[in-house]
Amino acid sequence: SSDLGVDVFTGLDCAASSLIKDKKYYLKDKQQGMSADDLSDYYSSLATEYSILLIEDPFAEDSFGDWQSLTSKVGSTIYIAGDRSEERR
């Protein structure tokens, strides 16, 4: 059955700290590592293509400039969120 007034949104929890090695982000479906700028462009294209509303942990935890750059690029239409890892609690 369909309920009126119920919305469903898509979000990504990237856990990007686990994808980084030597300042490159490695994704399973990509042949080579991606720079933070390339990854930001990739997120932006995914957000457009799939109407993504939330991106969580898009970059390594200490990559503050990359977080700011992505927020500047898509922050008016997408929520950018981070969480604290269990190791830091």
Side-chain angles (χ1 to χ4, degrees), residues 50-78:
Y50 297 105
S51 300
I52 292 170
L53 181 68
L54 167 75
I55 300 177
E56 183 177 345
D57 296 329
F59 299 105
E61 292 175 355
D62 59 353
S63 298
F64 302 114
D66 300 328
W67 284 74
Q68 289 173 333
S69 177
L70 181 62
T71 300
S72 293
K73 183 183 283 189
V74 299
S76 65
T77 57
I78 300 171

Side-chain angles (χ1 to χ4, degrees), residues 12-77:
L12 300 174
D13 185 350
C14 302
S17 290
S18 66
L19 304 174
I20 194 167
K21 181 179 178 186
D22 298 326
K23 297 184 180 185
K24 295 276 186 180
Y25 293 89
Y26 292 88
L27 307 178
K28 287 184 180 183
D29 66 333
K30 303 291 179 193
Q31 290 285 338
Q32 298 179 348
M34 301 172 76
S35 69
D37 287 339
D38 291 339
L39 188 58
S40 181
D41 290 343
Y42 182 64
Y43 290 144
S44 182
S45 69
L46 288 176
T48 300
E49 186 172 348
Y50 297 105
S51 300
I52 292 170
L53 181 68
L54 167 75
I55 300 177
E56 183 177 345
D57 296 329
F59 299 105
E61 292 175 355
D62 59 353
S63 298
F64 302 114
D66 300 328
W67 284 74
Q68 289 173 333
S69 177
L70 181 62
T71 300
S72 293
K73 183 183 283 189
V74 299
S76 65
T77 57

